[in-house]
Amino acid sequence: MSPRMTRWAAYASIALAIAGCDFGTLDDLSQDKASSGTSETSTQSLALWKAYDKPDDDVKKAVAEIAGVVERAGGRPVQVTIDDLTKDDLGVPSITRDPTACQGMLVITELDCSLAQIEKLAVAKNQADIYPGSYDKYKRTYQTNIQDFVSGSAPTVTWKTEYTVSLLGRTYEAVLTGGARRVAGAAPGGGAMLVSRTVLDEPARFVAGGDAEFNQDYQLEAFYEIAPSRVVHYYALWREFRVGSLTSSDNLYINVILGNLVDFDVRTSKVCRDNTPLPAFE
């Protein structure tokens, strides 16, 4: 897809340069308007976050009403803001920063993918190949056995991601802790659900350019099939970011990030349909 440069391109490009999600930046620029989510979209997002590292039964309880929440959220793609993530909600002892400084955002899309495809693409090492033009450097290191997860013999996998991004004279380095888990019977209709969570370990380090901060980023994703080769992607994130006077709570930033996350899923659907590039784990 070719870049769509608009009068907002300079600000949008800066926003994307500091986007910091585990999947990198995007070339396409969107300006879709985000609205405030309902109380139940916030409740669902927080429930999923808090249940992520708990037993399967807790995850199933947390997503018991997700089909209704998704349907009532409106026609897809859904792009809305959600409530704050509190320190008690966060539940990550290594993080001492205040997560209420983050802006909460939510995207709900549908992917032209099977859940089996998503289970591999979401955990693959070659994210820079799957989503080209995203990184200066990218390295994902598995902390548990990836082959056990891919084969289905293990329900979880964890990893560290180190990456570098440059755009508009700014370059930053970041380290993330990520993971995914397969929860049998959690999806509407009784199928499996894939849930993934990512935490920015510490504020990103800017190695070129100034007057910018990327202090916090917390992401929670859930995937489940609603038909053959049709997957709902529920994607909540909370982020604290600033470059100059532009912050992650500004409407411009929110609209750009959410719009481009939708475009990101357009790319994911294309990868699934074309079956290329293939996910790599070595």
Side-chain angles (χ1 to χ4, degrees):
M1 296 180 289
S2 61
R4 295 174 298 194
M5 301 306 292
T6 71
R7 65 192 179 97
W8 300 107
Y11 282 110
S13 298
I14 291 172
L16 291 171
I18 316 301
C21 73
D22 199 13
F23 308 111
T25 60
L26 298 170
D27 291 331
D28 283 23
L29 303 177
S30 293
Q31 273 294 303
D32 303 324
K33 178 64 176 177
S35 58
S36 297
T38 63
S39 60
E40 68 176 1
T41 55
S42 292
T43 299
Q44 179 64 87
S45 301
L46 292 169
L48 260 169
W49 177 273
K50 291 187 286 186
Y52 177 78
D53 54 3
K54 294 181 179 178
D56 284 4
D57 284 347
D58 291 282
V59 177
K60 292 176 183 179
K61 290 176 183 177
V63 299
E65 303 299 326
I66 193 170
V69 171
V70 167
E71 289 306 311
R72 290 187 291 273
R76 288 177 285 283
V78 173
Q79 302 171 71
V80 296
T81 59
I82 53 176
D83 292 346
D84 291 345
L85 186 69
T86 69
K87 184 68 173 175
D88 287 341
D89 295 330
L90 183 61
V92 181
S94 61
I95 301 294
T96 59
R97 301 177 295 282
D98 179 8
T100 60
C102 298
Q103 174 64 52
M105 295 173 268
L106 172 68
V107 169
I108 307 173
T109 65
E110 290 184 17
L111 304 173
D112 295 337
C113 303
S114 68
L115 187 62
Q117 287 177 303
I118 290 298
E119 286 180 350
K120 294 178 175 63
L121 289 172
V123 305
K125 292 188 75 167
N126 60 328
Q127 297 295 316
D129 297 327
I130 298 169
Y131 305 102
S134 300
Y135 308 96
D136 297 348
K137 298 178 182 178
Y138 184 93
K139 180 182 179 182
R140 175 174 285 185
T141 303
Y142 299 113
Q143 298 181 304
T144 57
N145 192 308
I146 182 60
Q147 295 302 334
D148 286 350
F149 178 81
V150 171
S151 70
S153 62
T156 63
V157 64
T158 59
W159 60 78
K160 286 283 187 180
T161 298
E162 303 170 68
Y163 71 90
T164 304
V165 169
S166 294
L167 196 61
L168 294 183
R170 290 175 171 83
T171 300
Y172 72 90
E173 299 173 343
V175 178
L176 308 168
T177 296
R181 62 182 294 185
R182 187 186 298 110
V183 185
M193 179 179 288
L194 181 72
V195 187
S196 180
R197 196 170 78 166
T198 303
V199 174
L200 181 67
D201 290 349
E202 57 188 24
R205 186 169 74 94
F206 285 83
V207 296
D211 196 22
E213 298 174 320
F214 178 35
N215 292 330
Q216 300 186 77
D217 193 55
Y218 311 106
Q219 302 185 25
L220 188 287
E221 299 176 77
F223 303 87
Y224 60 90
E225 281 187 336
I226 54 173
S229 296
R230 199 66 180 168
V231 167
V232 167
H233 183 196
Y234 188 102
Y235 189 173
L237 63 155
W238 295 266
R239 178 170 297 156
E240 181 189 7
F241 149 84
R242 181 190 64 81
V243 58
S245 61
L246 179 68
T247 75
S248 47
S249 62
D250 291 335
N251 286 334
L252 172 60
Y253 182 89
I254 294 167
N255 295 337
V256 167
I257 293 302
L258 293 182
N260 280 279
L261 288 176
V262 171
D263 289 347
F264 178 89
D265 276 359
V266 171
R267 166 66 181 173
T268 303
S269 289
K270 184 178 188 303
V271 171
C272 289
R273 290 192 302 268
D274 296 347
N275 203 34
T276 185
L278 294 173
F281 310 104
E282 301 293 339

